[in-house]
Amino acid sequence: MSKVSLRDLAKTLDVSISTVSKALRNSYEISAETRERVMEAARQLGYHPNPYAGSLRHHKSKTIALLVPELTNNFFIQAISGAESVAQERDYHILIYNTHEQYQKEESIIGHLGNGRVDGVIMSLTSETGRYDHLNDLIQSGIPIVFFDRIAHEIETAKITTDDFTSAFNGTEHLIRHGCRDIAFLSLSDSLSIDNKRKQGYLEALNKHDLNLPASRIVRCEGDDAGNHTRIRELLQAEKRPDAIFASVEKLALSTYNAARDAGVRIPEDLKVICFSNLRTAPLLNPSLTTITQPAYQMGAQAATVLFKYLEKKRPVIQNENIILKSELIPRDSTRKTSN
Amino acid sequence: MSKVSLRDLAKTLDVSISTVSKALRNSYEISAETRERVMEAARQLGYHPNPYAGSLRHHKSKTIALLVPELTNNFFIQAISGAESVAQERDYHILIYNTHEQYQKEESIIGHLGNGRVDGVIMSLTSETGRYDHLNDLIQSGIPIVFFDRIAHEIETAKITTDDFTSAFNGTEHLIRHGCRDIAFLSLSDSLSIDNKRKQGYLEALNKHDLNLPASRIVRCEGDDAGNHTRIRELLQAEKRPDAIFASVEKLALSTYNAARDAGVRIPEDLKVICFSNLRTAPLLNPSLTTITQPAYQMGAQAATVLFKYLEKKRPVIQNENIILKSELIPRDSTRKTSN
DNA sequence: AAATGCAACGCAAACGTTTTCGGAGTTTAT
DNA sequence: ATAAACTCCGAAAACGTTTGCGTTGCATTT
């Protein structure tokens, strides 16, 4: 039972190809009787239309691309899961690409998406991405992009984010209320919008509470886990170590846990830790980890919903729009007040 | 700058479409001079070939599908990541589908993959999947499938698994060596090959050590987290509770941690826990979790490698082949020997 | 001078659809 | 009875490629 085409159906039924095609699409031009015959034969022979032939005619692929900077990451996975659910409902297909936090890969992949392979793109930027020509080119060629989390402000389109500034502000205040005065901020990138917003929220909270900290309290980390580990360990073993760490992303908090263990620094007695995270095991950690949890699944679902809404129009140019969802601060033991 | 086709290039260069096409593919039929002119123009106008036109001609899409029963799952994500890396190297594209542990979805998605959308499939079965007609049909229609982890023995093709029997055997012996005599096994499915192998390994170890346990020590769990939680809590609060739990999958171990906390059962003093898991935070849990960790990334990469090897042949019929990778037992505190 | 060879290019078919248009046959209206 | 309208279907173009083959012009060989 090899592939069966319209032509095959037409031949066995002794009608024309166009009749078969119309019958399958319930055209009014076809009599009920032949329609039934065609349908039956299609079922019998296991006919499935060749998607690419249709794509070629319609300039629609019913496929979107999903670009993320990291795959083994709870946040992105949940977002992907959300987008996938919406796509499955709408009979869309999802091509997935890992940009590995590399601008060069992002550019290359976006380039390959040019000519009709996908109808639209959902993406989160690389931590290296500082210029947006490749993205603008794609949009110019008629393929809309919806951003989530790591967005490009400069591009006019729909962007799904969370209240990063407020969350970071609240998170920092949470630390201050629990007795911290020397809070280090672990940053991932200088070019990323979310990183900057979180940084600003952190600084604004310090400012409100008249805490003057040296610029070195903002520690710039990288993709490399091992490097981050030693960087954080040095921070914790320095002359004057911070009494709290605000990790801008989950993996930096995990590195902090490991580094603290190595350095003999107790959490939360010696060091309180909070971070943005979608870790399911946060309540089970030792100690349980205080997190700011983003609605990752909803962000992905929302991004897909917005994209599909526009894709169903004839000329899909997405309006500039900022959709901001709320994150949730979940206090746990890593920021628990201690006697000393 | 809208989409530019071969025809557009031909028109601006005042040559025929076929000349342009051949020039771009470095045909010997084209002079070096025109070849350069064409290349330059293509670069200038940002020409990218329409992938679907090519697919239509060649019956090759350079695309594969990846079906997993769950997305928010560390094992599957790492496997996906491995497959994606290999695919990106080879310029293949990956369509991703979540079957949500539902046979019906699996069947439907497989059905839609019939006519040329993909060149091949990499998948892990649903816990509900007990019949394989849909998969056989797909293979009959010329689209090869490579299984990983949750495989279908009945289908002749390449299958990537881990040494589930041995790992479960060793894991159970590990528990026995650490003083456990009443070990419960949390199972996920009766139809899944890996679940059965793990169960057999568990039973064989019990047998070797002359431990006779009632059949009720094998607890059949489900997809529903809440249900599992109460099921496990009841197990722990029963008259005579087990002194160890062997969770066949990660999420059942996490439910066990939660249930133990609810029931006031201490790990590892009252209950030792081991499980198959790819959790990055296993060392950071309270207590740290003893795991049998599968080489998930390598499994995905391996599956992709095997698939691509066959796809490059003319008639891709995959030989029956069992590729078995080794899992690693990593002892941690959840199975630590305690005084009492 | 005629025949042959070769280099460089264009024609056209094909992949599997969808859709416009026209045509044949039948029914309805005048 | 003739014209008009309607029903049902087929022919063919188009989407953007690739490729076998034919064609042209020129140089080389006899």
Side-chain angles (χ1 to χ4, degrees), chain B residues 216-262:
Chain B
S216 62
R217 274 315 184 219
I218 294 183
V219 181
R220 174 72 148 68
C221 298
E222 288 171 10
D224 171 38
D225 276 349
N228 292 334
H229 183 94
T230 62
R231 190 174 287 111
I232 297 170
R233 187 153 46 81
E234 284 167 8
L235 177 68
L236 297 182
Q237 291 176 327
E239 198 83 14
K240 180 160 165 32
R241 65 166 150 71
D243 57 14
I245 280 189
F246 193 139
S248 63
V249 296
E250 181 176 297
K251 69 173 178 181
L252 294 179
L254 299 182
S255 291
T256 300
Y257 266 51
N258 284 319
R261 176 172 300 182
D262 285 5

Side-chain angles (χ1 to χ4, degrees), chain B residues 11-60:
Chain B
K11 203 164 293 174
T12 61
L13 290 173
D14 203 43
V15 293
S16 79
I17 293 181
S18 45
T19 299
V20 177
S21 175
K22 288 172 184 167
L24 290 174
R25 329 194 86 245
N26 284 320
S27 165
Y28 67 96
E29 296 184 14
I30 305 297
S31 72
E33 188 204 4
T34 39
R35 175 164 31 230
E36 257 321 308
R37 279 182 60 220
V38 172
M39 294 286 199
E40 178 53 26
R43 225 171 298 131
Q44 212 74 31
L45 302 189
Y47 169 78
H48 287 276
N50 182 309
Y52 298 142
S55 297
L56 196 53
R57 271 230 70 189
H58 285 123
H59 302 280
K60 287 277 169 220

Side-chain angles (χ1 to χ4, degrees), chain B residues 65-77:
Chain B
L66 205 39
L67 272 73
V68 294
E70 229 182 339
L71 267 177
T72 53
N73 174 307
N74 295 299
F75 171 77
F76 288 118
I77 279 310

